Amino acid sequence: MPATDAPEPTAAAAEPPSSYFVQSLERGLEVIRAFGADHPSMTLTDVARVTGLTRATARRFLLTLTDLGYVRTDGKHFELTARVLRLGYAFVSSHDLPQLAEPVLEELSAAVGESASASVLDGAWVVYIARVHTRRIMRVGISVGTRFPAYATSMGRVLLAHGEGDDDAAALAAAGPFEALTPHTLTDPARLAAELARVREQGWSLVDQELELGLSSLAVPVRGPDGRVVAAVNVSMSAGGAGGAAPAERVEDLLPHLRAAAEQVEEALRLQR
Amino acid sequence: MPATDAPEPTAAAAEPPSSYFVQSLERGLEVIRAFGADHPSMTLTDVARVTGLTRATARRFLLTLTDLGYVRTDGKHFELTARVLRLGYAFVSSHDLPQLAEPVLEELSAAVGESASASVLDGAWVVYIARVHTRRIMRVGISVGTRFPAYATSMGRVLLAHGEGDDDAAALAAAGPFEALTPHTLTDPARLAAELARVREQGWSLVDQELELGLSSLAVPVRGPDGRVVAAVNVSMSAGGAGGAAPAERVEDLLPHLRAAAEQVEEALRLQR
């Protein structure tokens, strides 16, 4: 597993791995991903800079995406259109997990009075596939598709701890040190590996303000019909909650609700087969 | 505007419109979109059939997408991974509207006790960009990225009615007849054009069981800082509600809440500038 803050391969840097490889597709997807919170609207020059493509190449991709309706332009600035959602929606609609998890998360959130989420791993990242939030929690702008570095999140640790064999944990120990997102973040690979072993043993992970100050979360795994861990569900809470209870003191109360939710999703996955 | 049920151009049918056009990108995006509720897991043969590509071409795209981590395979079956969400998320994170709308929709939903949504047009379709639902409504599996034919939805009619000039309405009258999704669906282009004129005049649209039996919704437009309509927000409700009130009788109660929500989003868009 690569260190989570390593730059991802860019279109310019990637070598075509083989004769079948369609580099134009890789580059086009890079152009779509170049847009985002930091670059909602870009000129041709911006896109070339962000993607590492030449201006001529970036222009061909932008005009193609405009023809296809994924991008619109005023002649100078380019931005994504809602058609791009069709691509992400292909994932959501083709997998049972997001649909099955959502009603369960709603019950869980209502029962414990906190936000509840489900996520899967995408490389070194956790990606939210369903989320139900309470109105009282500070808004952190999390929605389906949001991703965070797996090492600093409760769902990420559950997924890394229950990965295929010990490969993930071993690779993790070789990677790092990891970025300290807060003063509490575990950044030492050996300590992180020990924590993952503990998570695997106890079947849950509590992460207290390692991703963001003031935010804590508790996660458990969700297993598919074949017994493999396919997702994680969590409850996230304010670290200094309204009731004044520290997150560690709430584990005993929250865990039965979380486990019941995980079991409901597991049962739904079995019935879906 | 094309008729909403006209087949969309496929990779096989499309002519490269110009020398700059990157056909490989179009085809690759078609392959991603070929997955979905009807085809969550496909063999190479399935993908070739659904996309109209040759097996050799489909294979190159599938292997490229697998190398890039957007698709995974057991050697025979292919399915999308959560990485695909990064593409849709590029849209969500690059636009203010989804983030700004969500807390407003939460307040709206809590105030009226019904599900609330925001959407934009993608060609002849409305696409959900934010949604908050109550637990008591029947689950219709709607999430961000879901799309419906614009002509049969309240948000679609608001967006068509307030489009650029009269082009949309005129094009609509030339298109159709439209598919009757329920016995109540307006399918006659002339009657639909008259309804759009009425919606434009009154500033809201009520659609009663034209998309799905038992489901009704009321929508109003959201204007950007330049006065153009950029989105629609709606409240959806059971047609034979718990209180027994018919949807038409609830317009007077619901409309002030909806308009207040639209104004809040408009205000947030102005401040965001």
Side-chain angles (χ1 to χ4, degrees), chain B:
Chain B
M1 204 192 68
T4 52
D5 52 355
E8 299 189 64
T10 64
E15 294 287 320
S18 167
S19 59
Y20 61 75
F21 194 78
V22 185
Q23 197 179 30
S24 292
L25 177 55
E26 177 181 37
R27 289 175 165 183
L29 296 174
E30 288 284 338
V31 169
I32 292 174
R33 286 176 48 190
F35 292 90
D38 297 336
H39 313 284
S41 170
M42 291 193 282
T43 63
L44 169 55
T45 305
D46 295 333
V47 172
R49 181 175 41 79
V50 172
T51 59
L53 298 171
T54 65
R55 276 174 58 94
T57 304
R59 181 174 171 275
R60 293 186 62 210
F61 285 103
L62 284 170
L63 293 179
T64 299
L65 289 169
T66 304
D67 282 353
L68 295 174
Y70 292 100
V71 165
R72 72 176 148 234
T73 179
D74 60 7
K76 180 165 166 58
H77 297 90
F78 296 85
E79 62 177 28
L80 297 180
T81 72
R83 184 159 296 179
V84 172
L85 285 174
R86 292 191 193 178
L87 302 170
Y89 189 64
F91 169 82
V92 173
S93 66
S94 76
H95 285 74
D96 299 330
L97 205 48
Q99 280 102 332
L100 298 179
E102 205 184 316
V104 175
L105 294 178
E106 279 176 14
E107 277 184 42
L108 173 60
S109 175
V112 302
E114 304 283 3
S115 298
S117 313
S119 72
V120 297
L121 272 191
D122 172 14
W125 302 81
V126 283
V127 185
Y128 283 72
I129 59 168
R131 178 164 171 86
V132 173
H133 51 80
T134 54
R135 286 198 292 160
R136 71 181 174 79
I137 203 171
M138 55 227 150
R139 299 202 59 79
V140 273
I142 299 171
S143 62
V144 170
T146 297
R147 57 202 191 113
F148 291 120
Y151 71 91
T153 66
S154 62
M155 291 192 286
R157 287 190 187 164
V158 160
L159 292 165
L160 290 171
H162 294 85
E164 307 292 298
D166 294 329
D167 290 356
D168 286 346
L172 195 69
F178 300 100
E179 189 185 354
L181 304 170
T182 76
H184 306 292
T185 314
L186 265 187
T187 57
D188 176 58
R191 286 186 58 202
L192 193 57
E195 175 63 17
L196 292 184
R198 202 165 69 95
V199 167
R200 189 182 178 101
E201 178 70 24
Q202 73 191 11
W204 52 269
S205 167
L206 176 70
V207 167
D208 190 7
Q209 308 189 69
E210 297 189 42
L211 178 67
E212 186 176 318
L213 282 177
L215 186 72
S216 300
S217 71
L218 179 68
V220 300
V222 175
R223 291 175 190 279
D226 62 359
R228 282 178 43 225
V229 171
V230 294
V233 290
N234 87 345
V235 163
S236 56
M237 56 199 131
S238 167
E249 294 166 16
R250 298 191 58 194
V251 171
E252 199 177 334
D253 284 342
L254 292 173
L255 210 47
H257 292 284
L258 256 180
R259 286 200 166 125
E263 280 163 21
Q264 276 186 65
V265 177
E266 289 168 352
E267 176 69 15
L269 284 171
R270 273 193 298 274
L271 293 174
Q272 203 76 4
R273 276 209 143 173

Side-chain angles (χ1 to χ4, degrees), chain A residues 154 156-170 192-206 219-221 223 227-229 259:
Chain A
S154 63
R157 288 188 186 164
V158 160
L159 292 166
L160 290 171
H162 293 85
E164 307 293 299
D166 294 329
D167 291 355
D168 286 347
L192 193 58
E195 174 64 16
L196 292 185
R198 203 165 69 94
V199 167
R200 191 184 178 99
E201 178 70 24
Q202 72 190 10
W204 52 269
S205 167
L206 175 71
V220 300
R223 293 176 189 278
R228 282 177 43 224
V229 171
R259 286 199 165 127

Side-chain angles (χ1 to χ4, degrees), chain A residues 112-114 136 218 235 237-238 241 245-255:
Chain A
V112 302
E114 304 283 2
R136 70 181 176 79
L218 179 67
V235 164
M237 55 200 131
S238 168
E249 295 167 16
R250 299 191 59 193
V251 171
E252 200 177 332
D253 283 343
L254 292 173
L255 210 46

